[in-house]
Amino acid sequence: MKLKLAILGSGSGSNMQSIVDAIEAHTLDAEIVCVLTDVPDAKILERAARHHLPGRYVSCAPFRTKLDGAAQEETIRLMREAGADTVVLAGFMRIVKPALLAAFPNRVLNIHPALLPAFPGLCSWKQALDYGCRVAGCTVHFVDAGTDSGPIIVQKAVPIEPNDTPETLHARIQVQEHIAYPEALRLLSEGRLHIQGRRVIIR
Ligand code: GRF
């Protein structure tokens, strides 16, 4: 089934770009129906414009770290109006609240730059490096009411090299993110993801 994606991002939008590229290469049956950001000058809006995708800034004031209240209602309204059936959090630096999850049940996905459940929260690649891990990675998961806690769809591991800095490690993780997100969305579009409790069964 062709997915109708709403993308929510706060930053550069490189994950959105990987999804755009997969759609344009016909390896992902999807359409991006809207791109929303909480940062007025986010680069993700430039990327959206370059691909003629409808992009828009939504002010999330007065909240700093969550999407709540009127801003969340407006976001839901815009996504519905655009005909979205799936919400893709792609570097969206806010916690979404239950109203959005209820509006798109089992249809909100996120990418996190760590092998969850290790290192939820911010700058996870740095957390992994500081901890002395030998392996880092990324996770695409369904979003639930917790933080980086929903059922896991795809994970990619990335070795940590002796000379890694937070920047080199994050860059290497992002290469895998750009493979993982289109892969997870492809599985969703093919109707192959089945949530059973905490687990996602791929058939
Ligand atoms: C990625 O590292 C993602 O895992 C994290 O935020 C970053 C977004 O990067 N959630 P981009 O905006 O997609 O380039």
Side-chain angles (χ1 to χ4, degrees), residues 9-17 44 47 89-93 110-114 125 138-139 170 173-174 177-178:
S10 307
S12 114
S14 69
N15 277 286
M16 181 190 75
Q17 186 70 55
I44 196 169
R47 289 191 200 258
L89 306 182
F92 189 60
M93 300 305 285
N110 182 43
I111 188 153
H112 182 74
W125 59 90
C138 62
T139 303
H170 188 211
I173 290 171
Q174 282 219 296
E177 289 183 1
H178 301 157

Side-chain angles (χ1 to χ4, degrees), residues 6-10 36 38 60 63-69 71-73 75-76 79 87-104 106-110 141-150 181:
I7 310 255
L8 269 58
S10 307
L36 303 177
D38 59 328
C60 294
F63 307 111
R64 281 192 318 115
T65 57
K66 60 182 179 178
L67 177 63
D68 208 348
Q72 179 161 248
E73 290 309 320
T75 301
I76 294 168
M79 294 193 296
V87 181
V88 175
L89 306 182
F92 189 60
M93 300 305 285
R94 289 174 183 271
I95 308 291
V96 301
K97 304 303 274 185
L100 190 144
L101 300 177
F104 295 90
N106 291 336
R107 282 281 176 165
V108 184
L109 281 70
N110 182 43
H141 63 95
F142 286 109
V143 177
D144 66 7
T147 303
D148 302 323
S149 61
Y181 227 156

Side-chain angles (χ1 to χ4, degrees), residues 59-201:
S59 166
C60 294
F63 307 111
R64 281 192 318 115
T65 57
K66 60 182 179 178
L67 177 63
D68 208 348
Q72 179 161 248
E73 290 309 320
E74 173 71 350
T75 301
I76 294 168
R77 192 187 68 73
L78 289 168
M79 294 193 296
R80 282 195 171 135
E81 195 175 274
D85 58 28
T86 304
V87 181
V88 175
L89 306 182
F92 189 60
M93 300 305 285
R94 289 174 183 271
I95 308 291
V96 301
K97 304 303 274 185
L100 190 144
L101 300 177
F104 295 90
N106 291 336
R107 282 281 176 165
V108 184
L109 281 70
N110 182 43
I111 188 153
H112 182 74
L115 293 173
L116 291 170
F119 309 124
L122 295 174
C123 297
S124 315
W125 59 90
K126 186 169 183 306
Q127 294 185 54
L129 195 59
D130 291 346
Y131 195 91
C133 294
R134 301 290 183 198
V135 178
C138 62
T139 303
V140 181
H141 63 95
F142 286 109
V143 177
D144 66 7
T147 303
D148 302 323
S149 61
I152 289 169
I153 304 169
V154 170
Q155 292 189 301
K156 302 281 180 198
V158 171
I160 296 182
E161 307 292 353
N163 296 329
D164 262 333
T165 63
E167 292 72 28
T168 60
L169 179 57
H170 188 211
R172 199 160 343 102
I173 290 171
Q174 282 219 296
V175 172
Q176 293 305 312
E177 289 183 1
H178 301 157
I179 298 168
Y181 227 156
E183 188 176 315
L185 289 168
R186 195 174 308 123
L187 290 167
L188 184 67
S189 78
E190 291 169 352
R192 296 180 59 196
L193 300 180
H194 306 274
I195 302 177
Q196 289 182 9
R198 268 224 57 82
R199 296 182 65 194
V200 176
I201 309 296

